[in-house]
Amino acid sequence: MTMQTDPPTLRPGPRMPGLDRRNLGPVQVFAQSVSAAGPTAGMAATPAIAASTAGGGTVWSFAIATAVALLIAGCIGQFTRRMAAAGSLYSLAAKGLGPAGAFACACALLVGYTLLVSAGLAGAAIHLHALFGPVGPATGVATVLLGAIVAGCAVKGIRLSARLILLVEGVSIALILAVYGLLLGGTGFEPPGHVPQSGQPPGGVGGVAAAVLPALAAFIGFESAAALGVEARRPFRSVPRAVTWTAAVVGLMHVCAAAFQVSLPGSARLLPLRDIASGQRLPWMAALVDAGIASSFLACALAGANALARVLFSLGTEGIAPRGLCRTHRSHRTPHVAVAVALPVATALPMTMLACGIPAEHVLELLLQASTVGCLIAYLLVCLAVPFFLRGIGEATPGPMARALTVVPVLVLALGAFVASAPSGPFTLAFATLTGAALAWYVWLRRRRPAQLGGIGVYDETSLADVLDPRIPRATSPSDHR
C-alpha cells in the first residue's frame, strides 16, 4: 500500500504584491549595483587618499580591498542563489541570525543607504557648482533640485531608473577614462600651487594596510542589487552575478586608477584627479572630470534611492515599519510612499549640515564615512549569518564556511578602524542617538508586535498568480536558474 501525499499548494498571490515583478534583465540589475558603488567618483578621489599612506603600495591596497569585496559577494551569493527578496541584506541575515540580527542589519542598511543617497546628492551638487561656477545654482539649491529629480525617477519605475542609471554611469565612466587617456598621453604634469607638502607617504606594510580602509569604502553599495530580487527576471542567477561582477569590475577600475596615481611624481600622488587635470593648464579637462564625477554621484543617489525604498517597502510589508510604506503606485508599480518618506530625509541631511556652516567638501566626507560604517555593519552581519544558515539547511561545505570565517574578522577590524578614525564629537553623538533609537524601536516591537518581529525577513516565492500570468517567466525556483 502506497501513501498518497497532497501536492504542494501555491499562495494565491505574491508575498510582496505591487512591485513590477520579474521584469528586470541582468544588465539592469548589474547597473544598479555598479552605480550605487559610484566607481567614477571613487576613481577620481580615493587613490589619492590611499596614496597618502600607502605610497607606492597603493595598488596593493586596492587589490586587497577588491579581494575583501569578492569575499563579501561570495557570502551574499550563498543566500541570493537560494532566495529572492526586496529587503536586501537584512532579509538574508534573518535566515542565519534570527530576528535580532536581521533587525540590526535592517537598521544598518537604513542608515547606510540613506546617507549614501545624501552623499550622492551632495557630491553631484558640489561638482555641478564647480562645473558651472557663478552661473550655476548654489550647492544647497542644487541638492534640492537633484533630490526632486531622483525622487521622480524612483517613482516612475525601476526599469526607467535602471536605464537612466546605466546611461549616466556609462557616460561618467567614459568621461573619466577619456581624461586618464589624455593625461597619460600628455606632455607632463605641472602641479598647481596648492600641492600638499607632507613629504613622502610612509608606505610599507603598515601604510598599505591603512590604505585598505579608504579603498574598501570605494565599494560601498556594490551589493544593492540584492534589493531587486522580486523585480529581477531571473533573480537566482542575475542578482548573485551582479554583486560578484560589480566587486570585480569596480575593483579592476580602482586598481587601474591607483596604478596611474602612483605613476605621478612624488607630491602629485596626493592630489585628486581634478587637480591633476588642472595641472595640465587645460580648463576643459578639469570640466570633464567635474561632469563625470557629478554624473556618477547622481547615478549613485538614484541607485541608493531604489535600494532604500525597497528596504522600507519590505519592512512595511512585514509590519516592522508603518504599513503605509508597503503601498505601491498603481501604474508605475513602485513603492512611492517609501520614496516620498525617504528622499526628503536624505535631501534634508546635507542641507542641514550646509546651513550649519560646515564646508561642502567636509559634508560630503562625513556623509560618506557614516554611510560606510552603516554598510560595513550590514556586511558583517550577513557574512556572520552564512555559517548558521548553511548548517541549518545541511549544506555547510568547506569553501563557503572558510570564506565567511575569513572575511568576518577582516570586517570587524575595518569597522573598528572606521569608527576610531571618525570625528569624536558630532559623529559619536549621531551614532549614539541612532543606536538608542534602534534599541527603543526593537524593544517596542518585542512588546507590541512580537509576531511581526519573529517573521522578519520575508522573501519572495512562486504564487498561483505567477503561474497563471503569462508575463511572468516560468523559471522561478532556484534549480531553474542555476
Side-chain angles (χ1 to χ4, degrees), residues 64-395:
I64 294 171
T66 302
V68 173
L70 287 171
L71 287 173
I72 297 171
C75 291
I76 294 172
Q78 295 302 316
F79 297 96
T80 53
R81 285 195 291 269
R82 295 174 170 91
M83 53 184 286
S88 190
L89 302 190
Y90 94 82
S91 296
L92 311 181
K95 307 310 168 190
L97 300 181
F103 181 82
C105 190
C107 293
L109 283 177
L110 289 178
V111 172
Y113 284 158
T114 300
L115 296 178
L116 184 64
V117 176
S118 298
L121 295 175
I126 290 170
H127 286 277
L128 283 176
H129 182 69
L131 179 63
F132 293 107
V135 300
T139 302
V141 176
T143 302
V144 174
L145 293 176
L146 291 172
I149 292 172
V150 168
C153 293
V155 170
K156 275 291 185 179
I158 186 63
R159 282 181 290 177
L160 172 64
S161 295
R163 293 191 188 105
L164 183 60
I165 284 171
L166 188 61
L167 173 63
V168 172
E169 192 60 48
V171 169
S172 66
I173 291 173
L175 287 173
I176 295 300
L177 290 179
V179 171
Y180 275 124
L182 291 169
L183 290 173
L184 288 172
T187 58
F189 175 75
E190 299 180 17
H194 60 282
V195 175
Q197 301 297 324
S198 57
Q200 291 295 324
V205 176
V208 170
V212 171
L213 293 177
L216 188 59
F219 289 85
I220 293 303
F222 80 100
E223 83 299 332
S224 63
L228 303 182
V230 176
E231 294 151 290
R233 191 172 300 136
R234 296 182 180 273
F236 302 113
R237 176 183 296 173
S238 60
V239 171
R241 287 184 178 180
V243 175
T244 301
W245 277 101
T246 297
V249 170
V250 171
L252 178 62
M253 293 172 66
H254 282 95
V255 166
C256 292
F260 168 81
Q261 198 81 23
V262 300
S263 69
L264 297 173
S267 59
R269 292 180 182 177
L270 307 181
L271 293 174
L273 182 61
R274 188 184 189 280
D275 290 339
I276 297 172
S278 298
Q280 298 294 305
R281 296 183 179 178
L282 297 174
W284 57 267
M285 191 179 293
L288 282 181
V289 175
D290 282 323
I293 297 176
S295 300
S296 182
F297 270 124
L298 180 60
C300 174
L302 181 52
N306 287 334
L308 175 60
R310 278 145 187 81
V311 171
L312 288 171
F313 166 84
S314 184
L315 290 171
T317 300
E318 297 168 348
I320 304 298
R323 290 282 187 182
L325 293 172
C326 69
R327 293 175 57 190
T328 55
H329 197 280
R330 182 170 298 179
S331 57
H332 300 312
R333 306 181 73 179
T334 54
H336 65 296
V337 175
V339 173
V341 170
L343 262 297
V345 174
T347 305
L349 285 173
M351 289 290 297
T352 303
M353 297 171 74
L354 289 170
C356 292
I358 303 175
E361 290 76 10
H362 193 42
V363 168
L364 178 59
E365 179 184 352
L366 290 173
L367 290 172
L368 287 173
Q369 191 170 27
S371 174
T372 299
V373 171
C375 289
L376 282 179
I377 293 174
Y379 297 162
L380 172 61
L381 290 172
V382 77
C383 292
L384 187 61
V386 169
F388 301 99
F389 171 68
L390 294 180
R391 195 171 296 154
I393 63 175
E395 297 185 19

